[in-house]
Amino acid sequence: MNCRRRYCLTFVSVFGVVLVYLVTYRGLREGRPAVDGRVHPRDDGDVSAAAASFIVDRDYGRTFVGPDETAEEQDGFVSAQVRRQAKQRIGRYHDCRMSNCFNFSLCREGFKVYVYPVSEKISEKYSEILKALRTSRYYTSDPSQACIYVLSIDTLDRDKLSVEFVQNIQSQIDSLKWWRGGVNHVVFNLYSGTWPDYNENGLGFDIGKAMLAKASISELHYRPQFDISFPLFHKELSYRGGEPGFLTANNVPPIRKYMLVFKGKRYLTGIGSETRNSLYHINNGQDIVLLTTCKHGKGWKNLEDERCEKDNLEYDKWDYKVMLKNSTFCLVPRGRRLGSYRFLESLQAGCIPVLLSNNWVLPFSEVIDWNRAVVWADERLLLQIPTIVRSINHGDILAMRQQTQFLWDTYFSSIEKIVDTTFEILKDRIYRYMSRTSYVWNSVPGALSIFPEYSQSLTDYPFYWRPFDYTVEDAFTAVIYATNRNVLPSSPVHRLIRALSGSAYLKKILILWHTQEPLPVDTRWPVSIKVPVIEKRIQFISERLLPFSEIETQAVFSLDSDIRIITDEVNFAFNVWKNFPERIVGYTARSHFWLEGQQQWGYTSKWTSDYSIVLTNAAFYHKYYSYLYTNLLPKSLHLVVNRLQNCEDILMNFLVTHIAKYPPMKLAQKKSYKEALNLETLDAVPSAFNRNGTVWLSSKHFAQRQFCINRFVEEFGYMALQRSAMRFDPLLFKDPVSIVRKRYRFIDVAS
């Protein structure tokens, strides 16, 4: 028995020694134990163990992490004690989430946003944020009906040294009737804290249970699915429209003159100085140009080091915008705070951002997949950045550059877009059953153009048929705008319906009567009994583009009753549109041009080598655009159209081009599209509703349309129309071959 005990004891001892040896050996290979008990990478020059890996995925982008870092350790080795201290600094509500700090019952009546009345002077940018909300479709002036509340007190700049710092915010907030501890409130902030530590929680007031839309927010202080990481933007950022991205062509190969550039301040001391002070180590002055200057702040002369004089001289030699436009990658190091103006500047320039700001939660990262547009680096592994950027293949560079332009144009190019994105994120959180997917947020045309109230299926939208490879239905609804109640068999509307009835794709006809006379009764239309003809009266011209419930097809064929068209032209137009459902496809084209002397836009119907407008007198478009025309466009634009009884077709072209980012498409050319009406017919039509005969050729008509274009540009914030020189003709169009060989054989005759 004693012998057996000795054998057992010996076996256990040997096993224990082996186990301790294996654990110790593994620890020595992976790193050395630190004082805090964490294992850190070795610094003995073993590149295979300490070097970071750059993971490239064609579908989901890139990330830059070290082999010894887990997902929880990418914050720069922050200990649990530091995390606990950070939570304590955040306040009593550091654990706030939508489930415990948000009152969903206030949103039962819809997503409405209330903005408190402004009682004191606020900064220009905060004023524009509030203006964007007051002019949005979310706004309500009744606080009892609101789902979300926004302060009128300027909280953007909470740096005590700033001239825009607002005193005594706490007492002002506490006096608000609807504050209720901050529940369902959104607080905006760009800058917090001040010299020397720039404390991230240095707001100077208690936000309570309010959601914080904050720039330069870190992973330590960010409350997931509650706070919103807000972009840091220049004061020069446009309120509406915004400047387009710099990328105008997809050059192949996509490598530019410089591989990596940066130009900015170098902090000589204090928070953020370590990163920028080290950039000179990787600056080779050739394809990697990283320029810093010490000349900023009041006391920089007292702190300058031996490199300052040389750095300042080199800094002044280079033009920053030229560097941006001619570089493949742009370095975005942290400043005093985690965020930097360089981030949005790089996006606009199509210069792929290389982030050097550990712990930074990127703007709108809750919905935007930044791995498809940026390269993540690590402040601790600065020397590996040149190797990283050189290792990315040309195909990935091109894809990332295109994504930077999409994100800039869609979400960041104006104050209005930034505000809309913020509240669309909140809307998706509240109404989870109709929230948009990551694919919608990160692909053209973007989530701001997709209204889930319209449909929960992406196949019902005109933008996704190519990536999802679905077929557009072979049917359309003809919507005829009629102002002349003449319905004799020889009338234009009868001839038009006969041409439509010859198409096998026709599913329904909807006639919209815009006339003061009584509607015709018991009219026998020349159409098959299988094709219903529905007649409705409308009061305003803009109503011709409404998404009527009678329209059950995706394709809408908009027509004026006096248009001259044949069945072959109908079929050809529909088959072309099926391949371009995101565009307006039609026959009658117009163009806009710049009047240099008058410094405004002009309108012309002359035949030119290009065009930018396709009229809706004979054009196909997707039904979803009718929904957007009604629900997205501001009421002020509808009032302009209804007051002039004109320009609804131009407004639709603005909308479609603004959303799809493509110009309309013109089909086969012919000399005349209008029916010639006699004088008796013209006299029978009230002048207010007469869009036939000579009225549309009058100088007043053109002057109105020119006014409309300039008014629409003002409302959209930019010229949304795009020029195109492309025209689609049927195969063998006008070719001197047998007519039997042509599919649309009668179009030649009609032209």
Side-chain angles (χ1 to χ4, degrees):
M1 182 66 73
N2 291 335
C3 181
R4 183 177 301 174
R5 288 179 179 175
R6 286 197 296 272
Y7 287 147
C8 291
L9 183 60
T10 302
F11 176 76
V12 171
S13 301
V14 172
F15 180 82
V17 171
V18 172
L19 182 62
V20 171
Y21 172 77
L22 291 175
V23 172
T24 305
Y25 179 72
R26 181 180 179 184
L28 290 174
R29 281 184 59 85
E30 294 184 350
R32 64 182 187 277
V35 177
D36 60 2
R38 307 285 294 266
V39 176
H40 294 251
R42 298 196 307 167
D43 55 1
D44 59 1
D46 185 358
V47 178
S48 63
S53 61
F54 181 63
I55 304 170
V56 179
D57 187 305
R58 292 184 181 272
D59 296 325
Y60 299 102
R62 313 142 170 81
T63 181
F64 176 53
V65 297
D68 303 311
E69 294 177 316
T70 62
E72 292 79 13
E73 292 174 332
Q74 292 181 29
D75 56 11
F77 299 120
V78 178
S79 66
Q81 181 181 2
V82 174
R83 289 181 180 275
R84 286 194 297 270
Q85 292 174 353
K87 289 182 178 180
Q88 292 171 1
R89 291 195 298 270
I90 292 175
R92 295 172 294 166
Y93 303 108
H94 63 268
D95 290 327
C96 265
R97 299 295 184 268
M98 298 294 287
S99 58
N100 60 351
C101 290
F102 190 86
N103 187 353
F104 286 90
S105 65
L106 297 179
C107 305
R108 291 173 181 169
E109 302 301 322
F111 187 75
K112 295 295 182 181
V113 179
Y114 174 73
V115 179
Y116 288 92
V118 177
S119 57
E120 295 185 1
K121 183 179 179 180
I122 59 178
S123 64
E124 179 184 355
K125 284 304 160 187
Y126 196 62
S127 175
E128 290 181 350
I129 289 175
L130 300 186
K131 178 182 176 182
L133 284 171
R134 290 195 181 99
T135 57
S136 71
R137 62 182 182 278
Y138 325 113
Y139 178 69
T140 179
S141 57
D142 184 358
S144 64
Q145 300 295 319
C147 168
I148 302 292
Y149 299 81
V150 176
L151 301 176
S152 62
I153 305 168
D154 191 347
T155 58
L156 284 186
D157 195 341
R158 301 306 297 156
D159 187 335
K160 294 181 179 180
L161 300 179
S162 172
V163 295
E164 295 180 347
F165 180 81
V166 179
Q167 303 283 349
N168 304 319
I169 281 187
Q170 191 65 59
S171 59
Q172 297 181 56
I173 290 178
D174 291 340
S175 64
L176 297 176
K177 176 182 178 181
W178 304 93
W179 176 246
R180 294 175 295 205
V183 174
N184 288 41
H185 281 67
V186 176
V187 175
F188 290 94
N189 177 250
L190 294 182
Y191 315 99
S192 62
T194 188
W195 172 266
D197 59 350
Y198 292 91
N199 180 13
E200 195 172 335
N201 289 306
L203 296 177
F205 64 95
D206 184 9
I207 65 172
K209 295 183 178 181
M211 295 170 284
L212 188 60
K214 177 175 172 53
S216 306
I217 194 168
S218 71
E219 295 175 356
L220 285 173
H221 302 91
Y222 178 67
R223 296 172 292 181
Q225 295 290 318
F226 192 73
D227 292 333
I228 293 178
S229 183
F230 203 65
L232 181 64
F233 52 83
H234 277 293
K235 292 184 177 180
E236 293 78 17
L237 186 67
S238 302
Y239 165 69
R240 177 175 288 163
E243 295 184 9
F246 295 168
L247 186 65
T248 57
N250 292 318
N251 297 324
V252 179
I255 300 299
R256 295 173 175 172
K257 181 177 180 180
Y258 304 110
M259 179 61 70
L260 178 68
V261 300
F262 170 74
K263 186 178 182 182
K265 298 176 182 178
R266 177 160 71 88
Y267 303 110
L268 299 171
T269 184
I271 188 170
S273 60
E274 299 89 347
T275 301
R276 297 198 180 193
N277 272 333
S278 303
L279 297 183
Y280 77 97
H281 288 295
I282 60 175
N283 176 29
N284 62 20
Q286 297 175 8
D287 65 338
I288 297 181
V289 182
L290 309 177
L291 307 174
T292 57
T293 180
C294 304
K295 292 191 295 184
H296 58 88
K298 297 179 180 179
W300 73 271
K301 275 284 187 180
N302 301 326
L303 299 171
E304 65 177 336
D305 55 25
E306 64 278 1
R307 289 192 289 113
C308 277
E309 183 177 358
K310 179 181 178 182
D311 286 353
N312 294 342
L313 290 174
E314 193 70 17
Y315 184 90
D316 294 335
K317 294 179 182 178
W318 295 75
D319 184 273
Y320 179 57
K321 288 188 176 180
V322 173
M323 294 173 68
L324 279 177
K325 294 180 180 180
N326 290 278
S327 182
T328 306
F329 297 92
C330 286
L331 193 66
V332 184
R334 65 161 298 160
R336 292 301 192 190
R337 301 173 178 88
L338 293 178
S340 169
Y341 293 132
R342 298 295 180 262
F343 183 64
L344 290 190
E345 292 168 355
S346 301
L347 284 183
Q348 182 182 11
C351 185
I352 301 169
V354 179
L355 302 179
L356 206 59
S357 182
N358 292 7
N359 300 329
W360 184 22
V361 180
L362 289 185
F364 305 139
S365 56
E366 181 178 334
V367 294
I368 294 179
D369 182 6
W370 284 111
N371 289 328
R372 296 174 58 183
V374 306
V375 175
W376 287 92
D378 193 313
E379 295 178 64
R380 299 162 298 170
L381 301 172
L382 176 67
L383 299 180
Q384 295 183 1
I385 291 179
T387 303
I388 293 169
V389 295
R390 296 185 198 280
S391 68
I392 304 176
N393 65 60
H394 291 181
D396 291 326
I397 290 174
L398 184 60
M400 295 177 77
R401 183 176 295 162
Q402 291 172 337
Q403 191 69 2
T404 63
Q405 299 300 276
F406 161 69
L407 294 175
W408 165 259
D409 289 333
T410 308
Y411 302 119
F412 298 102
S413 60
S414 69
I415 299 293
E416 192 174 57
K417 290 178 182 177
I418 290 174
V419 172
D420 284 347
T421 303
T422 300
F423 284 88
E424 287 297 327
I425 291 174
L426 293 178
K427 185 179 176 183
D428 276 6
R429 288 182 187 172
I430 297 168
Y431 305 101
R432 300 293 297 176
Y433 65 93
M434 60 177 185
S435 61
R436 285 147 291 198
T437 64
S438 176
Y439 179 84
V440 171
W441 280 96
N442 293 280
S443 60
V444 177
L448 300 186
S449 301
I450 301 300
F451 282 41
E453 296 89 347
Y454 175 76
S455 175
Q456 298 295 304
S457 173
L458 292 185
T459 59
D460 291 331
Y461 297 88
F463 317 108
Y464 304 110
W465 69 278
R466 286 189 184 92
F468 291 111
D469 195 27
Y470 69 86
T471 304
V472 180
E473 62 178 332
D474 281 334
F476 69 86
T477 300
V479 179
I480 301 174
Y481 174 75
T483 58
N484 185 349
R485 60 187 298 272
N486 178 9
V487 292
L488 296 174
S490 60
S491 65
V493 67
H494 258 263
R495 285 198 290 267
L496 175 60
I497 291 178
R498 276 197 296 270
L500 290 171
S501 64
S503 174
Y505 307 116
L506 179 65
K507 184 174 183 179
K508 187 181 296 185
I509 296 176
L510 181 61
I511 303 177
L512 304 177
W513 293 102
H514 191 188
T515 176
Q516 296 174 334
E517 300 295 327
L519 297 184
V521 294
D522 298 331
T523 304
R524 294 187 178 182
W525 299 108
V527 68
S528 168
I529 193 173
K530 296 181 180 179
V531 179
V533 178
I534 302 172
E535 300 177 61
K536 300 174 74 76
R537 184 193 294 273
I538 59 175
Q539 294 183 340
F540 302 103
I541 194 171
S542 63
E543 294 179 28
R544 66 176 296 185
L545 299 175
L546 293 180
F548 294 100
S549 59
E550 290 85 356
I551 302 176
E552 300 174 343
T553 59
Q554 293 178 340
V556 178
F557 194 18
S558 176
L559 297 150
D560 282 357
S561 61
D562 61 342
I563 200 73
R564 288 198 311 189
I565 198 168
I566 63 174
T567 303
D568 271 1
E569 288 175 317
V570 174
N571 291 335
F572 174 63
F574 179 64
N575 282 303
V576 172
W577 177 86
K578 285 197 301 180
N579 290 281
F580 303 94
E582 70 278 9
R583 306 196 196 193
I584 296 178
V585 176
Y587 285 97
T588 314
R590 298 289 184 263
S591 186
H592 73 285
F593 62 96
W594 180 248
L595 294 167
E596 190 64 40
Q598 302 179 29
Q599 291 297 297
Q600 63 177 357
W601 296 100
Y603 171 85
T604 180
S605 62
K606 294 180 180 179
W607 286 15
T608 59
S609 58
D610 60 7
Y611 60 92
S612 58
I613 299 169
V614 167
L615 304 185
T616 54
N617 61 1
F620 278 94
Y621 62 85
H622 198 283
K623 181 185 177 182
Y624 180 60
Y625 288 125
S626 291
Y627 182 87
L628 292 180
Y629 185 90
T630 307
N631 295 280
L632 178 62
L633 294 178
K635 294 180 180 179
S636 58
L637 294 185
H638 291 284
L639 289 175
V640 170
V641 171
N642 292 331
R643 179 170 58 85
L644 297 176
Q645 293 297 318
N646 199 346
C647 305
E648 82 292 345
D649 47 0
I650 299 178
L651 182 55
M652 178 60 92
N653 275 267
F654 264 81
L655 172 65
V656 174
T657 308
H658 169 71
I659 297 295
K661 308 301 182 187
Y662 290 116
M665 298 188 66
K666 174 173 171 48
L667 304 178
Q669 188 75 290
K670 70 178 184 180
K671 293 182 179 180
S672 178
Y673 291 96
K674 291 282 184 178
E675 291 280 3
L677 300 182
N678 55 38
L679 294 178
E680 292 89 274
T681 303
L682 287 175
D683 293 338
V685 183
S687 59
F689 304 107
N690 185 3
R691 289 165 52 87
N692 303 310
T694 59
V695 173
W696 66 276
L697 293 174
S698 68
S699 59
K700 180 180 178 181
H701 176 82
F702 276 81
Q704 288 178 342
R705 294 174 79 78
Q706 182 168 305
F707 166 80
C708 288
I709 286 181
N710 288 280
R711 179 67 180 86
F712 298 161
V713 169
E714 179 184 344
E715 190 68 36
F716 278 79
Y718 74 111
M719 170 49 76
L721 299 177
Q722 295 184 22
R723 300 184 187 279
S724 175
M726 181 172 60
R727 191 184 82 197
F728 268 66
D729 295 337
L731 192 63
L732 302 178
F733 180 66
K734 296 291 187 180
D735 285 359
V737 298
S738 172
I739 197 172
V740 180
R741 298 176 59 186
K742 300 182 180 183
R743 179 178 179 184
Y744 304 102
R745 58 191 63 175
F746 296 110
I747 291 184
D748 283 15
V749 179
S751 299

